[in-house]
Amino acid sequence: MRSLLIRTPQHVLAGGLAIVFLFPLAWAAVASVSPQAGTAQTDGWGFGNYETLANYQAGVGQYLLNSAVVSLLTVAFTLVVSVFGGYAFAMFRFPGRNVLFLVTLAILMVPYATLLIPLYVLLNQLGLQGSLVGLALVLTMFQLPFAVFMMRISFEAIPGELREAALIDGCGSFRALRHILVPAVKPGLITVGLFAFLAAWNDFITPLVLISDSDKAPLPLAVANMRQQVMGIVDYGATEAGVVVLALPCVLLFLALQRHYVRGFMSGALKG
């Protein structure tokens, strides 16, 4: 009885927070199919707003594909670099290691919007301006400080004897990383990958600056461009449909990976 009384306020608080966070998404879902003046769905409930979204310029399929390509490239680049970076910071001792790590974390204090113009110039010189690969590289750069930090604490949570045993058995550093240590930090990898995917999938300002071809626009940029109708009237129905399409993959992915996501954070917390 006592434990129930202790847990009841926690459950009430958690339930209240869940309602607060889920209400905007539920409201957008209802608004996307409800009749509204000035939208494609003016009479009765239906999916007219989704038809507007599907038929906008290159089509929602193309914009979803652009977002998926950028997000998956960002996840791949982030995981590869952060695994090697976190492994080096956690397992090797070299002069200036902690200073270099602090400099890496200090990038988090720089507003990333201030870096977009120099990055635009750099990508233009490299021939990557306006490409999905260039956009993914920029988004990867913004994710690396957190990702390297996360992978470092994940590797540090592994007993050092595990790596030493692999080296004694004849594994090199790379082979020990690939076959022994990477499987051991799977929750950390999923946490980093999920963060990178969500950031890339939902990012708006970076493609706004770097992508000029509307056919290469990711879905957030396409939804923002679609909002404006004739005479500057906002199509709220199509906008809400775009919000639902944007949010659905993120919600499903998080629900599927939430157990590993929590374990990834807990490994670092227990180490600290």
Side-chain angles (χ1 to χ4, degrees), residues 11 21-22 108 144 178 192 194 198 204 207 221 227 249 252:
H11 293 165
F21 288 120
L22 290 176
L108 291 171
L144 283 180
R178 179 182 176 185
V192 168
L194 185 60
L198 295 178
F204 170 74
L221 186 57
R227 292 177 68 247
L252 295 177

Side-chain angles (χ1 to χ4, degrees), residues 35-106:
Q36 300 181 53
T39 68
Q41 191 65 41
T42 57
D43 185 19
W45 297 70
F47 297 95
N49 294 317
Y50 289 92
E51 293 179 6
T52 300
L53 177 66
N55 297 323
Y56 176 71
Q57 291 187 0
V60 69
Q62 180 62 49
Y63 299 127
L64 281 171
L65 178 61
N66 294 340
S67 290
V69 169
V70 171
S71 300
L72 293 177
L73 285 176
T74 301
V75 170
F77 294 156
T78 302
L79 287 178
V80 170
V81 177
S82 64
V83 164
F84 285 110
Y87 178 64
F89 281 122
M91 298 297 177
F92 297 100
R93 301 292 183 266
F94 53 89
R97 183 186 66 150
N98 292 329
V99 174
L100 183 59
F101 185 66
L102 290 176
V103 170
T104 302
L105 294 182

Side-chain angles (χ1 to χ4, degrees), residues 20-36:
V20 170
F21 288 120
L22 290 176
F23 175 77
L25 182 58
W27 181 84
V30 173
S32 67
V33 296
S34 62
Q36 300 181 53

Side-chain angles (χ1 to χ4, degrees), residues 5-31:
L5 292 176
I6 295 175
R7 293 181 179 180
T8 297
Q10 299 175 353
H11 293 165
V12 171
L13 178 60
L17 290 175
I19 292 174
V20 170
F21 288 120
L22 290 176
F23 175 77
L25 182 58
W27 181 84
V30 173

Side-chain angles (χ1 to χ4, degrees), residues 103 105-115 142:
V103 170
L105 294 182
I107 300 175
L108 291 171
M109 296 186 293
V110 180
Y112 78 92
T114 62
L115 303 175
F142 297 146

Side-chain angles (χ1 to χ4, degrees), residues 28 31-32 49-50 53 223 236-246:
S32 67
N49 294 317
Y50 289 92
L53 177 66
V223 170
Y236 288 107
T239 302
E240 299 301 340
V243 170
V244 173
V245 174
L246 270 171

Side-chain angles (χ1 to χ4, degrees), residues 228-248:
Q228 297 300 322
Q229 285 188 335
V230 182
M231 303 296 293
I233 300 175
V234 178
D235 188 346
Y236 288 107
T239 302
E240 299 301 340
V243 170
V244 173
V245 174
L246 270 171
L248 193 58

Side-chain angles (χ1 to χ4, degrees), residues 151-238:
M151 293 314 304
R152 177 180 180 175
I153 62 176
S154 296
F155 281 119
E156 287 179 342
I158 300 174
E161 294 80 4
L162 186 63
R163 177 174 177 268
E164 293 174 1
L167 295 177
I168 292 174
D169 288 340
C171 288
S173 294
F174 179 76
R175 190 176 179 186
L177 171 65
R178 179 182 176 185
H179 295 286
I180 306 297
L181 299 181
V182 166
V185 295
K186 179 182 176 182
L189 290 172
I190 293 176
T191 301
V192 168
L194 185 60
F195 258 82
F197 180 88
L198 295 178
W201 183 267
N202 294 304
D203 194 272
F204 170 74
I205 188 171
T206 307
L208 177 65
V209 174
L210 300 181
I211 301 295
S212 55
D213 186 353
S214 61
D215 289 343
K216 294 182 179 180
L219 188 56
L221 186 57
V223 170
N225 292 334
M226 186 186 59
R227 292 177 68 247
Q228 297 300 322
Q229 285 188 335
V230 182
M231 303 296 293
I233 300 175
V234 178
D235 188 346
Y236 288 107

